[in-house]
Amino acid sequence: MSRNEWQEEQQRVNFVVEEVKKREIELKEKLGDVKADVLDIRKRFWDDVTVNFDTADDAAETHASIKQQAELMSERERSHQHDIKQLKSLHKLKESPYFGRIDFLEEGETEAESVYIGTASFVDKNGVDFYVYDWRAPISSLYYDYGPGPGSYETPTGLISGEINVKKQYIIRQGCIEHMFNTGITIGDEMLQEVLGGRSDSQMKNIVATIQKEQNQIIRNDRGKLLIVQGVAGSGKTSAALQRVAYLLYRFRNTLDADQIVLFSPNPLFNSYISTVLPELGEENMQQTTFQDYLDFRLGDEWKLEDPFNQIEYVLSARNDQEYQEKIESIKLKSSLNYMQIMDDFIVSLEKGGLVFKDVIFKGQTLISKEKINHYFYELDDTVSIPNRFQMVVEILLKEVRKVELKEREQEWVEQEIDLLDNEVLMKVHHKVEKEKKKDSDSFYEYEREQEILRALVVKRRFKKVKEDISKLRFIDVPSIYLNLLKKSLPVKQQDQSMDKIRQAIFPYEDATPYLYLKGKLEGFQVNTNIRHVFIDEAQDYSPFQFAFIKNMFPRAKLTVLGDKNQSIYAHSKISSFSALESLYDEAEIERYELTQSYRSTKQIINFAKQIIDADIEPFNREGEKPKCWKTDSYDHMNETLIDRIEELKKSYSTIAIICKTALESETLYDEIREKLDVRLMKKDSTGYESTVLIIPSYLAKGVEFDAVVVYNASQSSYNKETERKLLYTVCTRAMHSLDLLYVKEISTLLSAISNETYVQCP
């Protein structure tokens, strides 16, 4: 570009930055006034409220006055929060007001409009001229979807077509243009090179300046009920998902709130990694959880619950266990939709018989026997659903309890407990009787009445837990019913493994979701109709059964699932999980996308890693060093090599991960080298990390990226099963700039087909 053109562009940046600064000053003054208003209203709240409860009309007037004052304070506080949010947005625009520009000539117009695109909109005081358009605005999609030439974009009123005359990209820092270039249909390599060539840190960055056309389509798609994104490692699936959340909150800002969106992520570390993306874009974070957290919430009070990390640790390290193969087969069955059908057939059989009940106990004695409850249930009309019949049984049982309550008032234990009551309770009852007495001054009547009330009170307190247990259907013995299901559906060896643990109040991970499904089918499902969008990241880690369960949990929600079939490393997850999920929807409700280009890693790392699984992955054209494979003679030698290599990597990189196969191997290595190297051990409950050297098990590194990765012990003795091929691919693709593999004597045969031209063999 000519010097004059560069100067003109910089002048416009200067103009916008100055306007932003002026608006910032005005807003700060306004914020001070609004804050003072809020404090004043809080201070004078009761001064401005007329309190009078003498009559019903006075009480109603008082209530209205309090409500009016509260609404005034609430409105001022909302205004204050809105202005704070806007101030944060202005601060970012001041540093970098925009990153893109298109000159668009709309059909029927004679003059093209210059559209500048940034992270937030910025309009003149009159609200007419846009200095900057929000990247989520309808017109901004032209920037992501088209190069110079014909283009069109959707608006609420219809399609607008025209011609794009100019398309530019900018990198602006602290109000100065550092890079500027014309570009075509894709966001130019220059911009991506600048962004991707930077160092990683412990937080994911937003990608709004480098969104590619295929990612933009995912972000803005609001059609189907199920949106599936199948993308290779580093293809920007998660980034696109988070920008999609931001887009949905912008597009439907009058009807959708952040708390109506939930993201299921793979682990707490991942939650921390992505936590700053939405706030950076001026949006509140959606609800973030893991599927394990949900299972813990539902079952954790009653059971010790195994998690998927316990399961994969077993799968990766217990191959010599005599019961290993039966365990794997049991996991696979319980993860399938076929098992859900087996369960449905079993539940239908329970309509006629086979339910197991528990006695209703009071003071250590059977109040209502399980046989009696069984009789009550099965004498009801069997055309009524099981959950509805249980509600009818609840009413029957509560009536029985009320009858017993009346009889119990005369028992001796009641008198004993009255003697233990607090004086405060006794005085309250005494005053109550005093008010009732009125003209009758018979003190004997007063004593009898007090005793009557106290007896009723004591009995009511003692029966409260009984009634609560009945209302919450705790008389159903769901664990025993589930054990009966296992007896009918599994071979004996598989039965024994699960049943032994469940009898010890330990729930295997593969049994938790089926158990909750059975519980829901019997008692009625706990569904959440408030959630409108559910995002599932690392979706290849979910089983078909879990997908069906989640769909049932959120009946009004649209699902966005993101995954990579080549990173399916769990025994309970299958390539067929996605097709099983699709089978739960009509074809017209499904939108599919496939991302094949990887942006995370250098060309050299991808060319190495893709040979592990023989996958069709297009590396982004970012050059780097070839991966290095280090042969060592012993474990001590491997550890020495590791320490030397890490010290070298620390000179160039901020985030370095030593990825071990299992948690046990990670802990062992940590104990062996922590005196010689400053490292941090990451565990399944770790929630975040700073820029440092980490030791992390393979399955916890999923979804996260690091400047440099060292694959520890890539030996034949460690990675020697075909089922571990995807695991090895997954850990290698965590690396952005540097990849090293250390092994003892013989490297894994899973790497034997890799061309020696794509890596460097080190002694």
Side-chain angles (χ1 to χ4, degrees):
M1 294 182 188
S2 68
R3 180 179 293 273
N4 285 342
E5 189 176 356
W6 190 285
Q7 287 176 344
E8 286 175 10
E9 290 283 6
Q10 183 61 56
Q11 283 171 6
R12 188 185 190 278
V13 171
N14 295 343
F15 167 75
V16 174
V17 169
E18 284 305 312
E19 291 298 312
V20 168
K21 287 178 179 177
K22 290 177 190 174
R23 192 74 55 84
E24 214 175 17
I25 292 168
E26 292 170 4
L27 197 55
K28 283 178 179 176
E29 290 175 358
K30 183 187 172 190
L31 270 168
D33 292 341
V34 173
K35 186 176 181 181
D37 278 353
V38 170
L39 292 173
D40 188 51
I41 292 169
R42 284 178 180 170
K43 197 182 296 181
R44 294 171 44 213
F45 187 95
W46 292 108
D47 296 340
D48 295 337
V49 172
T50 305
V51 180
N52 188 346
F53 294 102
D54 291 345
T55 67
D57 288 343
D58 291 335
E61 189 177 330
T62 297
H63 178 266
S65 179
I66 292 171
K67 186 180 178 186
Q68 182 181 8
Q69 195 71 357
E71 286 174 351
L72 177 63
M73 185 168 71
S74 179
E75 188 276 325
R76 289 287 193 280
E77 287 177 337
R78 274 196 303 271
S79 175
H80 189 249
Q81 289 303 317
H82 173 76
D83 289 343
I84 288 174
K85 186 176 176 182
Q86 199 175 354
L87 193 62
K88 288 178 181 176
S89 176
L90 289 173
H91 181 70
K92 289 171 188 166
L93 288 178
K94 187 171 62 177
E95 298 295 313
S96 179
Y98 43 84
F99 52 77
R101 166 189 165 186
I102 52 169
D103 289 0
F104 182 63
L105 180 61
E106 188 180 330
E107 281 182 3
E109 298 292 331
T110 57
E111 192 174 332
E113 178 188 2
S114 291
V115 176
Y116 291 84
I117 297 157
T119 55
S121 292
F122 184 56
V123 195
D124 71 351
K125 279 189 176 182
N126 301 318
V128 176
D129 292 331
F130 274 78
Y131 297 139
V132 183
Y133 281 88
D134 191 297
W135 66 275
R136 297 166 290 185
I139 196 170
S140 299
S141 66
L142 290 168
Y143 172 74
Y144 298 113
D145 290 344
Y146 299 98
S152 60
Y153 64 97
E154 291 280 354
T155 73
T157 56
L159 188 72
I160 293 179
S161 301
E163 190 85 11
I164 298 171
N165 298 332
V166 174
K167 181 173 178 180
K168 286 185 181 179
Q169 293 172 248
Y170 309 86
I171 294 175
I172 303 172
R173 292 194 178 99
Q174 295 182 328
C176 292
I177 299 175
E178 293 188 0
H179 301 279
M180 175 173 62
F181 25 78
N182 293 309
T183 187
I185 187 167
T186 58
I187 304 305
D189 280 1
E190 297 95 335
M191 181 80 100
L192 274 170
Q193 290 283 9
E194 171 73 20
V195 173
L196 299 174
R199 298 292 175 246
S200 171
D201 58 29
S202 59
Q203 306 287 170
M204 178 180 276
K205 304 175 183 70
N206 80 70
I207 61 162
V208 294
T210 57
I211 292 169
Q212 303 296 291
K213 181 177 181 180
E214 64 273 19
Q215 293 170 328
N216 189 49
Q217 291 170 350
I218 293 165
I219 290 165
R220 294 174 187 262
N221 186 313
D222 53 21
R223 295 185 297 274
K225 288 199 72 175
L226 170 64
L227 191 149
I228 294 180
V229 181
Q230 183 76 245
V232 299
S235 57
K237 299 182 297 293
T238 301
S239 295
L242 294 173
Q243 321 305 310
R244 175 170 166 75
V245 172
Y247 171 76
L248 291 170
L249 290 170
Y250 174 88
R251 170 77 173 79
F252 301 103
R253 53 191 174 278
N254 295 324
T255 56
L256 183 68
D257 295 322
D259 62 5
Q260 292 177 300
I261 302 174
V262 63
L263 167 69
F264 284 100
S265 59
N267 51 56
L269 175 62
F270 184 85
N271 278 343
S272 170
Y273 179 59
I274 66 172
S275 62
T276 60
V277 174
L278 284 170
E280 222 179 273
L281 295 169
E283 299 293 351
E284 291 180 33
N285 262 324
M286 68 271 146
Q287 297 184 60
Q288 291 174 230
T289 187
T290 64
F291 191 65
Q292 178 66 24
D293 284 340
Y294 174 77
L295 295 177
D296 275 329
F297 169 71
R298 292 291 307 277
L299 294 172
D301 291 342
E302 304 170 51
W303 304 87
K304 181 180 178 183
L305 187 62
E306 289 185 345
D307 57 40
F309 310 124
N310 297 131
Q311 189 190 87
I312 196 168
E313 192 73 15
Y314 176 86
V315 170
L316 294 175
S317 59
R319 293 185 181 278
N320 296 326
D321 190 326
Q322 288 184 343
E323 299 174 333
Y324 182 83
Q325 200 52 47
E326 283 83 6
K327 173 77 169 176
I328 298 300
E329 291 306 315
S330 175
I331 290 171
K332 288 180 178 177
L333 174 62
K334 293 169 186 173
S335 302
S336 67
L337 290 183
N338 181 43
Y339 193 61
M340 185 172 277
Q341 185 58 56
I342 291 170
M343 293 187 72
D344 286 340
D345 294 341
F346 174 74
I347 291 162
V348 168
S349 73
L350 296 176
E351 293 175 357
K352 303 289 185 183
L355 285 168
V356 185
F357 299 99
K358 294 185 283 191
D359 296 331
V360 175
I361 304 296
F362 178 69
K363 288 176 61 59
Q365 301 294 318
T366 298
L367 188 64
I368 305 172
S369 71
K370 55 191 175 187
E371 291 80 12
K372 201 170 187 181
I373 298 172
N374 187 78
H375 172 72
Y376 286 147
F377 182 87
Y378 283 112
E379 73 174 2
L380 294 169
D381 184 355
D382 62 12
T383 62
V384 177
S385 70
I386 290 177
N388 285 342
R389 273 198 271 175
F390 276 132
Q391 290 307 314
M392 295 162 76
V393 170
V394 166
E395 291 303 316
I396 294 169
L397 298 183
L398 289 176
K399 282 180 183 176
E400 282 211 22
V401 169
R402 281 192 282 272
K403 289 177 185 175
V404 176
E405 264 190 286
L406 291 172
K407 292 179 181 177
E408 285 293 314
R409 291 180 185 179
E410 304 306 317
Q411 298 300 316
E412 185 178 341
W413 68 266
V414 179
E415 190 72 39
Q416 292 170 353
E417 292 206 7
I418 288 175
D419 293 339
L420 300 174
L421 288 173
D422 294 339
N423 284 333
E424 187 179 345
V425 175
L426 297 173
M427 290 304 297
K428 280 184 180 178
V429 172
H430 177 71
H431 290 313
K432 181 179 180 181
V433 173
E434 284 276 311
K435 286 183 180 179
E436 285 180 1
K437 198 168 57 165
K438 295 181 181 177
K439 295 179 182 178
D440 189 350
S441 58
D442 185 350
S443 60
F444 181 75
Y445 163 80
E446 183 179 326
Y447 173 77
E448 284 294 314
R449 179 62 180 142
E450 283 182 13
Q451 288 299 302
E452 181 185 340
I453 293 173
L454 289 170
R455 284 176 179 277
L457 177 66
V458 166
V459 172
K460 184 178 181 181
R461 282 184 175 182
R462 287 297 295 269
F463 272 89
K464 183 180 179 182
K465 175 79 167 55
V466 175
K467 291 178 181 176
E468 184 181 289
D469 287 346
I470 290 172
S471 297
K472 292 187 175 179
L473 304 175
R474 289 180 182 144
F475 56 86
I476 310 170
D477 192 349
V478 183
S480 293
I481 299 170
Y482 187 73
L483 291 176
N484 288 342
L485 165 69
L486 295 180
K487 288 177 189 174
K488 292 190 175 185
S489 61
L490 297 178
V492 174
K493 285 187 178 180
Q494 291 181 27
Q495 285 178 32
D496 292 344
Q497 286 183 335
S498 291
M499 292 170 75
D500 288 347
K501 286 191 173 181
I502 292 171
R503 286 180 180 128
Q504 297 170 47
I506 300 170
F507 240 105
Y509 182 70
E510 65 270 18
D511 286 287
T513 309
Y515 177 81
L516 280 177
Y517 180 73
L518 173 66
K519 191 173 172 67
K521 278 285 192 175
L522 296 178
E523 301 176 359
F525 277 100
Q526 292 187 18
V527 298
N528 189 328
T529 56
N530 183 53
I531 298 297
R532 299 306 170 87
H533 286 273
V534 172
F535 286 73
I536 303 176
D537 206 353
E538 300 294 335
Q540 75 280 347
D541 295 343
Y542 288 72
S543 70
F545 198 112
Q546 289 170 336
F547 277 141
F549 185 78
I550 289 171
K551 181 177 185 290
N552 195 76
M553 270 167 47
F554 304 104
R556 296 183 64 189
K558 292 184 175 184
L559 256 68
T560 299
V561 299
L562 312 107
D564 177 7
K565 60 188 178 185
N566 294 317
Q567 294 184 62
S568 180
I569 64 172
Y570 287 90
H572 64 260
S573 60
K574 307 174 183 178
I575 294 175
S576 61
S577 289
F578 286 98
S579 56
L581 174 60
E582 290 179 27
S583 72
L584 304 173
Y585 290 84
D586 295 332
E587 182 60 31
E589 296 177 317
I590 304 172
E591 299 282 324
R592 300 178 183 84
Y593 294 92
E594 188 166 358
L595 303 175
T596 57
Q597 183 154 40
S598 179
Y599 299 99
R600 173 188 297 136
S601 309
T602 61
K603 185 177 179 180
Q604 286 73 18
I605 291 173
I606 290 299
N607 284 338
F608 174 87
K610 72 178 185 178
Q611 295 177 77
I612 301 173
I613 53 170
D614 191 23
D616 181 21
I617 305 174
E618 303 166 32
F620 177 68
N621 190 26
R622 181 165 63 85
E623 297 293 332
E625 293 183 351
K626 290 180 181 179
K628 294 180 175 65
C629 294
W630 300 79
K631 182 178 181 179
T632 61
D633 299 329
S634 64
Y635 278 87
D636 286 342
H637 183 200
M638 181 165 62
N639 290 351
E640 290 169 10
T641 305
L642 171 69
I643 292 167
D644 291 342
R645 183 59 182 150
I646 293 297
E647 292 295 354
E648 189 65 28
L649 290 169
K650 283 165 67 176
K651 296 174 184 176
S652 304
Y653 302 114
S654 302
T655 58
I656 302 169
I658 304 166
I659 303 183
C660 298
K661 184 179 175 184
T662 65
L664 180 60
E665 187 176 62
S666 299
E667 290 166 11
T668 303
L669 177 63
Y670 177 72
D671 289 339
E672 289 174 353
I673 69 171
R674 64 178 175 174
E675 299 297 328
K676 303 170 187 174
L677 191 67
D678 183 16
V679 291
R680 179 179 171 190
L681 177 64
M682 302 303 289
K683 300 182 179 180
K684 65 184 180 182
D685 53 357
S686 298
T687 56
Y689 65 93
E690 299 303 322
S691 296
T692 184
V693 180
L694 308 177
I695 297 178
I696 185 168
S698 56
Y699 46 86
L700 287 186
K702 288 169 67 65
V704 189
E705 61 189 28
F706 306 94
D707 286 332
V709 164
V710 178
V711 181
Y712 182 77
N713 195 18
S715 313
Q716 175 60 14
S717 59
S718 180
Y719 290 92
N720 52 28
K721 296 289 188 293
E722 183 60 32
T723 52
E724 294 165 349
R725 185 175 292 278
K726 291 179 179 179
L727 182 65
L728 198 49
Y729 161 77
T730 300
V731 299
C732 288
T733 54
R734 300 308 93 201
M736 291 177 64
H737 309 293
S738 173
L739 174 64
D740 293 86
L741 296 92
L742 275 60
Y743 63 96
V744 177
K745 294 180 181 177
E746 185 183 358
I747 198 166
S748 168
T749 53
L750 299 175
L751 302 170
S752 60
I754 294 178
S755 166
N756 56 17
E757 294 180 2
T758 59
Y759 66 91
V760 176
Q761 180 64 52
C762 299

